[in-house]
Amino acid sequence: MPVGGAALDLVGVPLPDETLSVAKQSDAILLGAIGGYKWDKNEKHLKPETGLLQLRAGLGVFANLRPATVLPQLVDSSTLKKEVAEGVDLMVVRELTGGIYFGQPRGFSTTEKGEEIGFNTEVYATYEIDRIARVAFETARKRCGKLCSVDKANVLEASMLWRKRVTLMASDYPDVELTHMYVDNAAMQLIRDPKQFDTIVTNNIFGDILSDEASMLTGSIGMLPSACLGESGPGLFEPIHGSAPDIAGQDKANPLATVLSVAMLLRYGLQEEYAAITIESAVLDTLNNGFRTGDIFSSGKKLVGCKEIGEEVMKSVIKLFRNR
């Protein structure tokens, strides 16, 4: 189904009603990257990204899970020193449908002096904080039992409420170690000592920024999948990267984030754990065999395009299924 720029070209809106209707009736949704230079100058309601926000809101997916794992095969692709990057395995749980991206009032106005202003509102209700906190605690419980809540509670009232509600919920999870960190410190610590983190929970805008920062610990944004989950209904699974219009049609893009998003779809959306593990193992097998796209290429490896590395993953999937 069309969404984003494809939908704009087809029917003139970034999220057609039919697309949302079909999505709601699905078991799970795999979303391709959206956007491109062609639509950058469109008015806000006609930008591809608006379709993505509308899709998330329409599906009620409020929890964005973004893993950032430095694979042994790609540790040299990280811009950090090997001893810092090696062994990093963290999960960012981002609140997705509240905060400053959705808060009202928002817009443009003019002051009494005739100066134009733009304004947005950072606002969170207790239920929005509680439900994302519960997802984060449950996620941390399944991982290493450590949860770091990131906020700006020394300045922002919305963050003060955030910290209060997350702290209250901690009593329901005595097996999870909860810590708090201001967002500016968290941004520094992700670079200084990323292995201190296991699971991070934070609001929409902080999560948007920190998860992209965390992605670069791995060496390339082209390696990272994500899952967007709600309380009911289908989940939305997508790579965290954009559409890379500068290399469109050149067979250069790294498809592995999308492939790994399929693995997350199988695990979280369809409860098909074996299939998810098979796909993840096939990606590792492909990397072990030395195949690399340009964004993760290093000396001594085989540089290939999007199509060829995809074919290599498929070969590994078939081999793993035959050998099970």
Side-chain angles (χ1 to χ4, degrees):
M1 301 300 297
V3 69
L8 283 165
D9 287 350
L10 195 64
V11 296
V13 294
L15 179 63
D17 291 340
E18 186 181 3
T19 295
L20 181 57
S21 176
V22 170
K24 287 180 174 180
Q25 297 171 44
S26 301
D27 296 306
I29 300 144
L30 180 67
L31 181 70
I34 64 168
Y37 303 139
K38 179 178 180 179
W39 308 281
D40 278 353
K41 294 183 180 180
N42 285 17
E43 293 183 37
K44 182 175 177 295
H45 71 286
L46 293 177
K47 287 183 177 291
E49 294 77 10
T50 298
L52 175 57
L53 294 177
Q54 291 171 341
L55 183 60
R56 289 171 177 169
L59 293 170
V61 289
F62 64 86
N64 184 214
L65 277 60
R66 290 190 173 191
T69 303
V70 177
L71 301 176
Q73 301 90 336
L74 298 179
V75 66
D76 291 330
S77 297
S78 176
T79 54
L80 298 182
K81 294 178 180 178
K82 184 175 181 179
E83 60 266 28
V84 176
E86 197 168 32
V88 169
D89 180 10
L90 61 90
M91 177 77 78
V92 179
V93 180
R94 169 191 171 193
E95 199 289 320
L96 200 59
T97 57
I100 201 166
Y101 290 173
F102 292 91
Q104 297 289 342
R106 63 185 296 162
F108 300 96
S109 186
T110 306
T111 67
E112 293 178 355
K113 296 182 179 180
E115 185 175 10
E116 187 178 13
I117 60 171
F119 56 93
N120 297 86
T121 302
E122 167 73 356
V123 57
Y124 272 104
T126 55
Y127 82 91
E128 293 175 303
I129 301 170
D130 289 353
R131 65 185 184 179
I132 191 66
R134 192 164 299 282
V135 170
F137 275 108
E138 293 287 347
T139 301
R141 173 178 274 175
K142 295 173 184 175
R143 289 172 53 86
C144 295
K146 291 173 58 180
L147 177 63
C148 180
S149 177
V150 174
D151 58 41
K152 193 63 177 170
N154 57 335
V155 176
L156 301 175
E157 283 78 4
S159 278
M160 295 173 193
L161 179 63
W162 179 282
R163 183 171 292 207
K164 174 184 175 182
R165 299 302 302 184
V166 173
T167 301
L168 284 171
M169 187 165 290
S171 61
D172 294 341
Y173 296 89
D175 54 327
V176 176
E177 176 190 345
L178 173 66
T179 57
H180 299 276
M181 191 175 290
Y182 296 141
V183 64
D184 43 356
N185 187 28
M188 292 186 289
Q189 294 297 330
L190 270 173
I191 300 301
R192 189 187 73 83
D193 181 21
K195 286 194 284 283
Q196 69 182 280
F197 297 106
D198 175 61
T199 305
I200 295 172
V201 62
T202 191
N203 69 14
N204 204 340
I205 189 170
F206 297 162
D208 192 3
I209 297 165
L210 292 179
S211 59
D212 277 0
E213 181 187 5
S215 74
M216 289 314 299
L217 302 175
T218 70
S220 173
I221 202 170
M223 288 298 301
L224 298 179
S226 74
C228 303
L229 308 174
E231 292 177 298
S232 62
L236 181 66
F237 302 86
E238 59 180 311
I240 75 167
H241 59 69
S243 59
D246 55 318
I247 58 171
Q250 300 176 42
D251 194 34
K252 292 181 178 180
N254 183 345
L256 296 182
T258 299
V259 173
L260 292 169
S261 293
V262 174
M264 291 192 80
L265 182 154
L266 289 161
R267 173 173 291 117
Y268 294 102
L270 302 180
Q271 288 72 54
E272 293 285 354
E273 182 66 18
Y274 178 78
I277 291 173
T278 300
I279 288 177
E280 290 166 345
S281 298
V283 169
L284 294 178
D285 190 41
T286 300
L287 295 173
N288 284 334
N289 290 334
F291 295 97
R292 301 287 190 273
T293 47
D295 57 312
I296 55 174
F297 178 74
S298 59
S299 179
K301 304 303 178 183
K302 183 180 180 182
L303 179 64
V304 295
C306 177
K307 182 178 180 181
E308 186 171 350
I309 202 167
E311 290 172 347
E312 290 299 326
V313 172
M314 280 303 305
K315 289 177 186 177
S316 293
V317 167
I318 293 167
K319 180 180 70 175
L320 288 163
F321 266 107
R322 285 176 177 170
N323 295 338
R324 64 175 172 172

